[in-house]
């Protein structure tokens, strides 16, 4: 069955590269085919690991192949990449990695590739030191990122770009949010110990914890009754930054799947929250998440860039604007971003963000506060975006974020991926003049 996991990995990766499907979309149907959880876990490890190291593995493969494979044999290329990943980065016995990967050609119906896969993997084993020296000269292979993203990060983070690239290639922590309406963080940490699970409090939040070894969410005590949710520590900072007060009208303008909607309501249960998302399918996830937690918000499927379609005319005291972005701060969680995003997406997303920000600003009450955030590392979506907005809106004032986490930017504050176990995240607080 392990052979099938490798062939399935090749198929999933083919879909990501050829059709631009995300791993979150392409992987589950294949995982569900495995009765044995170990095969599903191996498949997950292979696709996430190979994607994480794609630009390094691809450079190695180019050196190892005498001539490039035909485009119709992308599945074999992907199988070879997963084989190289196992030899390069995993601690499994090398003999097993080679033999099982070679056998997987049968499950792909490409018996002709048996000799090729065997030859490529064995020549990597023989020649790996020389190959590593050759690719060390190539920044794309060395940092395992696309060239356009390396360039943008060098430009926006001249001191930290290497740390950012390296953090993007690390495995993410398993971060959780304790529902303080139901249980304290200390009580929940005690509950985990009783279940032989160890976790540490996350810095800078009153409710975040980090589990030492990942488990399925269903295995977490109290998950089904709403004691605990999966959420990165950086995202959890939104609650404090919003400075919520009882009974406020709050707009969560890009809400799905509802992580921050739930955080707002767990922090201030009397808040009157309207959760908007343009994607009705994703919005239904907000409903499911809130139902599990016993929380309530008004759910609206609509375009935040065009409030006329859904707004009742009542002003909001708080607006959370967690805009769609390049997600370049969460690459360690979603390594397929390196393959799916293009340089031109940055400006397209920046102009969508600007349109949404301009459209929701009139919905904010005088004296109210809008929290703009992204999981991007790029200035065009963050500090640059807020700078242009402030130039054009005389009734907006930036409320500086005085914090011990992250880095102050021209406008707003940025957390780099991996800092204090958090994802790369950007926040800016905008206040409306009275
Ligand atoms: C970064 S995600 C939000 C994550 C969410 N705040 C959370 O914490 O779970 C961005 C969301 O914006 C939504 N979106 C994109 N364009 C939008 C628009 N014009 N109006 C409303 N929602 C939009 C996307 O469907 C996506 O669900």
């Amino acid at each position: 069955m392990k052979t099938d996991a490798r062939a399935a990995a090749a198929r999933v990766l083919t879909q990501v590269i050829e059709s631009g499907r995300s791993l979150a979309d392409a992987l589950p149907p294949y995982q569900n085919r495995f009765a044995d959880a170990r095969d599903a876990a191996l498949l997950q490890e292979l696709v996430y690991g190979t994607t994480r190291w794609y630009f390094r593995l691809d450079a190695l493969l180019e050196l190892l192949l005498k001539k490039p494979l035909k485009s119709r044999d992308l599945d074999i290329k992907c199988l070879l990449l997963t084989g190289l990943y196992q030899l390069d980065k995993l601690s499994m016995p090398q003999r097993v990695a080679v033999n099982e990967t070679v056998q997987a050609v049968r499950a792909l119906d490409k018996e002709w590739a048996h000799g090729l896969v065997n030859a490529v993997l064995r020549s990597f084993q023989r020649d790996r030191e020389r190959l590593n020296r050759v690719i060390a000269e190539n920044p794309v292979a060395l940092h395992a990122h696309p060239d356009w993203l390396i360039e943008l990060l060098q430009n926006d983070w001249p001191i930290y770009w290497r740390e950012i690239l390296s953090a993007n290639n690390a495995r993410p922590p398993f971060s959780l949010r304790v529902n303080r309406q139901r249980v304290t963080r200390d009580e929940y940490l005690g509950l985990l110990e009783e279940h032989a699970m160890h976790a540490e409090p996350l810095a800078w939040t009153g409710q975040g914890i980090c589990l030492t070894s990942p488990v399925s969410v269903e295995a977490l005590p109290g998950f089904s009754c709403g004691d605990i949710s999966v959420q990165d520590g950086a995202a959890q900072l939104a609650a404090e930054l919003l400075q919520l007060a009882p009974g406020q009208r709050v707009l969560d303008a890009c809400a799905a799947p509802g992580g921050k909607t739930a955080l707002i309501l767990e922090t201030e249960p009397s808040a009157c929250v309207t959760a908007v998302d343009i994607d009705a399918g994703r919005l239904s996830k907000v409903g499911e998440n809130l139902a599990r937690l016993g929380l309530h918000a008004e759910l609206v499927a609509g375009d935040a860039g065009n409030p006329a379609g859904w707004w009742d005319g009542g002003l909001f005291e708080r607006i959370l604007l967690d805009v769609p972005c390049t997600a370049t701060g969460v690459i360690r969680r979603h390594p397929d971003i390196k393959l799916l995003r293009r340089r031109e997406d940055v400006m397209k997303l920046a102009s969508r963000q600007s349109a949404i920000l301009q459209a929701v600003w009139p919905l904010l009450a005088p004296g109210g506060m809008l929290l703009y955030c992204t999981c991007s590392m790029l200035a065009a979506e963050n500090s640059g975006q807020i700078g242009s907005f402030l130039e054009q809106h005389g009734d907006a004032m930036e409320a500086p974020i005085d914090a011990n986490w992250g880095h102050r930017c021209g406008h707003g504050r940025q957390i780099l991926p991996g800092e204090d176990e958090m994802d790369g995240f950007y926040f800016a607080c905008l206040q409306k003049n009275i």
Side-chain angles (χ1 to χ4, degrees):
M1 283 309 284
K2 286 208 178 67
T3 302
D4 285 353
R6 289 170 171 84
R11 291 205 161 105
V12 171
L13 291 169
T14 301
Q15 293 191 8
V16 173
I17 296 167
E18 199 170 56
S19 320
R21 287 184 77 184
S22 68
L23 281 181
D25 185 28
L27 177 59
Y30 283 91
Q31 273 191 309
N32 294 339
R33 291 180 196 175
F34 291 105
D36 188 333
R38 284 169 302 182
D39 289 323
L42 174 63
L43 168 58
Q44 173 153 335
E45 173 61 44
L46 292 177
V47 293
Y48 272 84
T50 305
T51 316
R52 182 166 290 128
W53 294 105
Y54 177 87
F55 289 92
R56 168 181 168 78
L57 302 170
D58 194 37
L60 287 170
L61 185 58
E62 204 181 306
L63 294 173
L64 286 159
L65 284 173
K66 291 200 177 71
K67 55 177 183 171
L69 286 158
K70 298 196 172 77
S71 56
R72 64 166 184 262
D73 296 321
L74 182 58
D75 52 354
I76 293 297
K77 176 179 172 178
C78 290
L79 180 66
L80 281 163
L81 293 172
T82 64
L84 291 175
Y85 170 63
Q86 294 162 69
L87 296 175
D88 193 36
K89 297 284 178 197
L90 295 185
S91 58
M92 73 171 63
Q94 304 254 309
R95 182 181 43 80
V96 173
V98 173
N99 290 346
E100 300 284 340
T101 307
V102 169
Q103 292 309 319
V105 298
R106 206 172 295 155
L108 292 173
D109 258 340
K110 297 217 167 156
E111 292 272 7
W112 61 263
H114 191 280
L116 173 76
V117 174
N118 192 39
V120 166
L121 297 183
R122 289 192 192 283
S123 86
F124 174 72
Q125 285 182 296
R126 276 194 310 272
D127 214 8
R128 63 195 302 166
E129 279 178 25
R130 184 188 68 81
L131 294 165
N132 275 325
R133 279 197 301 276
V134 175
I135 64 160
E137 306 291 317
N138 167 1
V140 168
L142 182 66
H143 301 296
H145 277 68
D147 54 358
W148 65 268
L149 187 51
I150 297 174
E151 276 166 33
L152 290 181
L153 289 171
Q154 281 172 332
N155 189 57
D156 290 353
W157 296 99
I159 298 174
Y160 293 113
W161 64 273
R162 283 187 194 80
E163 279 98 325
I164 296 169
L165 293 172
S166 156
N168 287 349
N169 291 336
R171 288 172 193 259
F174 191 47
S175 305
L176 301 167
R177 183 188 77 238
V178 174
N179 181 354
R180 286 187 294 176
Q181 292 302 318
R182 295 180 54 88
V183 57
T184 68
R185 175 159 72 178
D186 283 346
E187 282 167 348
Y188 195 79
L189 287 170
L191 198 59
L192 285 175
E193 290 294 341
E194 281 170 28
H195 285 75
M197 297 179 198
H198 183 68
E200 297 284 343
L202 274 171
W204 315 122
T205 77
Q207 67 282 317
I209 60 173
C210 184
L211 204 65
T212 318
S213 313
V215 295
S216 73
V217 287
E218 289 78 17
L220 291 167
F223 178 79
S224 59
C225 60
D227 287 354
I228 194 81
S229 301
V230 176
Q231 188 170 49
D232 183 74
Q236 296 183 40
L237 296 174
E240 203 182 316
L241 291 171
L242 275 167
Q243 297 173 31
L244 297 161
Q248 279 177 333
R249 266 173 64 88
V250 180
L251 172 64
D252 185 357
C254 295
K260 295 185 197 67
T261 320
L263 171 74
I264 290 169
L265 285 160
E266 286 174 11
T267 308
E268 187 45 77
S270 70
C272 188
V273 178
T274 303
V276 177
D277 203 280
I278 200 163
D279 183 330
R282 280 174 64 83
L283 188 71
S284 66
K285 290 274 171 219
V286 183
E288 285 167 25
N289 283 329
L290 294 183
R292 180 180 61 83
L293 295 162
L295 302 169
H296 174 75
E298 187 193 350
L299 304 187
V300 178
D303 180 357
N306 180 22
W310 50 268
W311 184 39
D312 66 5
L315 296 173
F316 295 94
E317 278 110 14
R318 294 286 181 270
I319 296 181
L320 172 63
L321 198 53
D322 187 12
V323 284
C325 71
T326 52
T328 38
V330 292
I331 286 177
R332 58 189 191 152
R333 292 192 191 280
H334 303 285
D336 48 343
I337 288 167
K338 296 186 203 179
L339 291 165
L340 298 174
R341 287 270 176 270
R342 301 279 175 264
R343 186 190 289 266
E344 52 275 23
D345 294 338
V346 180
M347 280 310 149
K348 279 188 205 153
L349 281 158
S351 81
R352 271 174 78 189
Q353 292 154 1
S354 164
I356 296 175
L357 179 53
Q358 315 248 10
V360 300
W361 183 250
L363 280 56
L364 185 66
M369 195 231 280
L370 182 150
L371 178 63
Y372 175 91
C373 58
T374 74
C375 54
S376 165
M377 294 306 300
L378 304 176
E381 301 177 88
N382 296 340
S383 183
Q385 184 75 266
I386 296 303
S388 319
F389 181 80
L390 287 167
E391 273 172 23
Q392 294 159 22
H393 292 78
D395 60 346
M397 198 182 67
E398 182 178 1
I401 299 173
D402 186 18
N404 291 321
W405 46 261
H407 302 254
R408 203 170 52 172
C409 315
H411 299 282
R413 212 167 173 90
Q414 177 89 50
I415 300 157
L416 308 183
E419 279 185 334
D420 295 318
E421 300 284 352
M422 294 190 278
D423 282 345
F425 228 86
Y426 171 82
F427 291 106
C429 293
L430 299 175
Q431 218 135 28
K432 191 178 253 189
N433 297 338
I434 296 176

